[in-house]
Amino acid sequence: QVHVAESGGGQAQAGDSLRLSCVVSGRTLSSFTMGWFRQAPGKEREFVSAVRINSDTAYYQDSVRGRFIISRDNAKNTVWLQMNSLEPEDTALYYCAAGLGYLADVRIQERYAFWGQGIQVTVSS
């Protein structure tokens, strides 16, 4: 059984930073392309960021590029999303997702096989 668990969310003020963590168990992290998605109230879930298995390439949604940084440590089975210069628009439930092997398009949610339960990030102005 593969389990994905997020942590590190909470409340922040605009301009602050938060770091989300995602731990994958049941299978080596090296099996997965890892991604972060988020869903704001009343909105569709959207792609935020993703990273390849060996950290060769990272991907970011335009709205977070330059502010967020995704990273991973396969030995620790952990992925992080460092969120800097937070904005109220970043308020959402953030999901960590694992896709088996190589994903041709990391932005397609349906390609990810395993998902965390989500963790709330709330940014106030």
Side-chain angles (χ1 to χ4, degrees):
Q1 179 185 357
V2 175
H3 186 253
V4 180
E6 306 97 337
S7 63
Q11 299 186 43
Q13 303 294 318
D16 286 354
S17 296
L18 284 176
R19 188 177 71 164
L20 304 182
S21 297
C22 172
V23 176
V24 176
S25 60
R27 197 167 181 175
T28 175
L29 195 68
S30 295
S31 297
F32 303 110
T33 299
M34 299 301 300
W36 288 95
F37 296 81
R38 68 186 182 187
Q39 186 169 24
K43 303 292 184 180
E44 295 289 324
R45 190 168 62 192
E46 64 178 1
F47 170 81
V48 177
S49 184
V51 61
R52 296 292 183 193
I53 289 176
N54 293 318
S55 300
D56 306 66
T57 312
Y59 306 82
Y60 300 95
Q61 184 199 91
D62 289 345
S63 66
V64 308
R65 186 174 295 110
R67 297 189 298 119
F68 291 9
I69 301 172
I70 189 171
S71 60
R72 65 188 292 164
D73 187 334
N74 290 341
K76 295 182 177 180
N77 286 348
T78 303
V79 180
W80 297 272
L81 184 67
Q82 178 68 43
M83 304 183 293
N84 300 316
S85 301
L86 284 165
E87 304 169 354
E89 299 74 46
D90 296 318
T91 295
L93 190 66
Y94 282 71
Y95 295 90
C96 180
L100 290 169
Y102 177 84
L103 302 185
D105 189 341
V106 299
R107 295 175 175 265
I108 301 178
Q109 300 181 35
E110 290 75 14
R111 298 291 188 267
Y112 291 82
F114 305 100
W115 292 77
Q117 65 181 359
I119 188 165
Q120 182 66 40
V121 171
T122 302
V123 184
S124 61
S125 59

